[in-house]
Amino acid sequence: MDNDVQSRKFREMTEEPVERLICKMAVPTVISMLITSIYNMADTFFVGKLGTSATGAVGVVFPLMAVIQAVGFFFGQGSGNYISRQLGAQRREEAERMASTGFFSALGAGALILALGLLLQRPLCRLLGATDTILPFALDYMRLILCGAPYMTAALVLNNQLRLQGNATFAMAGLVAGGLLNIALDPLLIFTFGMGITGAALATIFSQLISFCLLLAGVKRSGGIQIRRRLFSPSRERYLALAGGGVPSLCRQGLASIAITCLNNAAHPFGDAAIAAMSIVTRVSQFAGSALIGFGQGYQPVCGFNYGAKRYARVTRGFWFCVKSSSVVLLALAVAGWFFAPQIISVFRADDPEVIRIGARTLRMQCVSFPLLGWVILCNMLLQNIAMTLRASIVAAARQGLFFIPLALLLPRLLLLTGVQLCQPVSDICSFLLSAAITIPVLRTLPHREAQDGR
């Protein structure tokens, strides 16, 4: 039965019209990303009612959550991209071994994050930019988030493996259920039970546990590649193959953690209001970009299957469809963000005019470069899925690493708070130019490869 399911999936992914196929794959991933972003913002929204320092604490701990996500995406994207290419080449057994190897490796890595984080929690909070007033809140929040690290990383592996096999609906179900639960639990634990910021952390890790359990159930019901302990097959070759697809995600997510830490430290001299404002803008920007990432994730399994099947024209056709569609949507969101920036920030901190002032100006600056993100993110996804690891890693590292980190160290010294606010838009423009230089030559060569392989 599993073989019949995979045969039907192969025909669907390599024969159905690309545009319709991407849209069908993208619907559940867009919903998943939006719900995930909403429940990420829920913590910021409800914790914001506790005060500016508590809001700042969520921003301080956010880089740690980005590290947990980076590890999950490393094993999830690395194994998932490999699985999709193997299924495209119709090599099911190797796909099964990689799925189990990626899953159990992520569990072990999450346990290591838990142990190290608890051991170093106080200096870690300081490193992440906590002020004296933010520190107590950050410690309470961080301790519980760390407890969820093992299954949070493993859940991301399951999500990516399901999605990259073309089973995005099952992946969506687990994320959406956990996200809705988080939104419901936040006010209940924070206010009704009077647990404050500890309640926000408990809501997050409990909802993530439910997501993990539902994703495990989804793997069993999907009819796709299953997770089996006996198929855990760690080897140098397999981890190198996993790294080929996972390093770009590790660069992107890991550098995001470093970038947010640099941003928090750059905002530190300007007080809790500046840190809180940057935290809010980060969450709002991520929410606005989540639909784009979900749309791009709908392209990834199409790209992986067709690249494995050597149908390169479908790979490039899908890429250009995604770039054009996403650019139009991002332009509309950027215009809306510019005009309604104060109202958006005030949703989170209506009683603090300084947070609204700093946050609104920061958000407007980011709206200037926001329409360019579609190109940058889709270039990264294309290169990652066709196993061009070095190019994909450079593009992935550019926005939050190669450009952002030096800018975060330089611009605040030159322009003070304005320099802090300019870091992300300037980095986005530089990343757009770099990704164009790296990806356009690849797009030009893919059609020729199909002609050569067809001889």
Side-chain angles (χ1 to χ4, degrees):
M1 179 179 174
D2 286 353
N3 288 332
D4 291 340
V5 171
Q6 290 301 321
S7 296
R8 288 197 302 272
K9 181 63 67 176
F10 176 82
R11 289 194 298 272
E12 175 190 22
M13 301 296 281
T14 57
E15 296 175 11
E16 188 172 327
V18 169
E19 294 83 359
R20 186 170 67 192
L21 182 60
I22 290 173
C23 289
K24 182 168 70 176
M25 294 289 161
V27 168
T29 57
V30 168
I31 293 172
S32 297
M33 291 303 301
L34 285 173
I35 293 294
T36 300
S37 292
I38 288 170
Y39 85 72
N40 281 336
M41 287 204 304
D43 277 359
T44 303
F45 175 78
F46 290 114
V47 170
K49 308 298 182 184
L50 301 174
T52 298
S53 295
T55 305
V58 175
V60 165
V61 179
F62 189 69
L64 173 65
M65 297 181 71
V67 169
I68 294 170
Q69 291 173 353
V71 173
F73 274 108
F74 171 75
F75 289 105
Q77 288 271 3
S79 60
N81 284 323
Y82 184 82
I83 287 167
S84 69
R85 292 195 300 272
Q86 295 304 309
L87 292 176
Q90 299 183 303
R91 292 193 286 265
R92 181 182 174 88
E93 182 180 347
E94 178 57 25
E96 290 178 332
R97 292 188 176 279
M98 179 59 86
S100 296
T101 301
F103 174 79
F104 289 110
S105 298
L107 271 177
L112 182 61
I113 291 172
L114 166 60
L116 291 176
L118 290 177
L119 185 65
L120 302 170
Q121 54 187 295
R122 185 172 289 272
L124 186 56
C125 279
R126 289 293 191 187
L127 178 65
L128 296 176
T131 63
D132 289 338
T133 49
I134 287 175
L135 182 63
F137 294 100
L139 285 170
D140 288 343
Y141 193 72
M142 177 185 286
R143 290 187 191 108
L144 286 171
I145 293 299
L146 283 167
C147 292
Y151 58 79
M152 288 166 71
T153 56
L156 285 168
V157 172
L158 296 175
N159 173 258
N160 280 281
Q161 289 183 358
L162 280 167
R163 184 174 54 76
L164 286 159
Q165 293 174 63
N167 295 321
T169 302
F170 290 98
M172 176 194 71
L175 287 183
V176 168
L180 294 175
L181 180 62
N182 196 156
I183 294 167
L185 286 176
D186 262 336
L188 182 67
L189 297 179
I190 294 171
F191 304 116
T192 305
F193 289 100
M195 299 179 69
I197 198 168
T198 301
L202 274 175
T204 297
I205 63 169
F206 183 72
S207 63
Q208 291 277 0
L209 178 60
I210 297 300
S211 286
F212 172 69
C213 295
L214 291 174
L215 286 165
L216 271 178
V219 168
K220 293 183 181 299
R221 295 189 60 188
S222 68
I225 300 299
Q226 301 297 303
I227 302 296
R228 296 185 177 92
R229 190 169 56 186
R230 63 181 176 81
L231 292 177
F232 176 56
S233 309
S235 68
R236 180 176 179 276
E237 292 74 18
R238 201 160 278 116
Y239 279 126
L240 284 174
L242 188 150
V247 165
S249 290
L250 185 65
C251 289
R252 182 175 59 248
Q253 296 293 129
L255 287 171
S257 173
I258 298 172
I260 295 169
T261 301
C262 289
L263 191 65
N264 288 336
N265 281 288
H268 190 287
F270 306 101
D272 288 5
I275 296 175
M278 296 304 156
S279 173
I280 292 169
V281 172
T282 298
R283 296 300 179 98
V284 170
S285 299
Q286 285 191 335
F287 175 72
S290 62
L292 161 65
I293 295 172
F295 189 59
Q297 288 177 343
Y299 167 66
Q300 283 189 299
V302 179
C303 176
F305 266 84
N306 285 282
Y307 188 79
K310 299 183 179 181
R311 301 187 182 186
Y312 306 125
R314 287 172 61 84
V315 173
T316 54
R317 182 176 170 183
F319 173 82
W320 287 115
F321 169 70
C322 289
V323 167
K324 292 172 185 176
S325 303
S326 63
S327 296
V328 172
V329 174
L330 290 173
L331 179 60
L333 290 173
V335 171
W338 178 277
F339 283 106
F340 297 104
Q343 292 86 344
I344 292 169
I345 303 301
S346 66
V347 169
F348 300 91
R349 291 298 296 138
D351 61 346
D352 195 327
E354 186 66 3
V355 172
I356 295 172
R357 183 187 70 81
I358 296 172
R361 188 163 183 253
T362 305
L363 183 58
R364 282 177 170 153
M365 289 181 180
Q366 292 196 17
C367 285
V368 173
S369 62
F370 198 60
L372 303 178
L373 292 190
W375 171 264
V376 176
I377 290 173
L378 285 160
C379 285
N380 178 228
M381 289 182 171
L382 167 69
L383 296 169
Q384 187 172 0
N385 271 78
I386 64 176
M388 291 193 169
T389 306
L390 179 60
R391 290 173 184 256
S393 298
I394 293 172
V395 173
R399 183 172 180 254
Q400 300 286 19
L402 297 180
F403 296 117
F404 186 94
I405 293 173
L407 288 168
L409 296 174
L410 176 64
L411 289 182
R413 296 176 182 272
L414 300 176
L415 302 172
L416 303 178
L417 182 58
T418 300
V420 179
Q421 296 168 316
L422 278 172
C423 289
Q424 193 64 70
V426 174
S427 177
D428 290 345
I429 293 168
C430 294
S431 300
F432 172 79
L433 297 173
L434 177 64
S435 61
I438 288 175
T439 309
I440 288 175
V442 176
L443 291 167
R444 287 174 176 166
T445 59
L446 277 176
H448 300 298
R449 290 183 61 181
E450 182 161 7
Q452 292 168 358
D453 290 343
R455 289 174 187 163

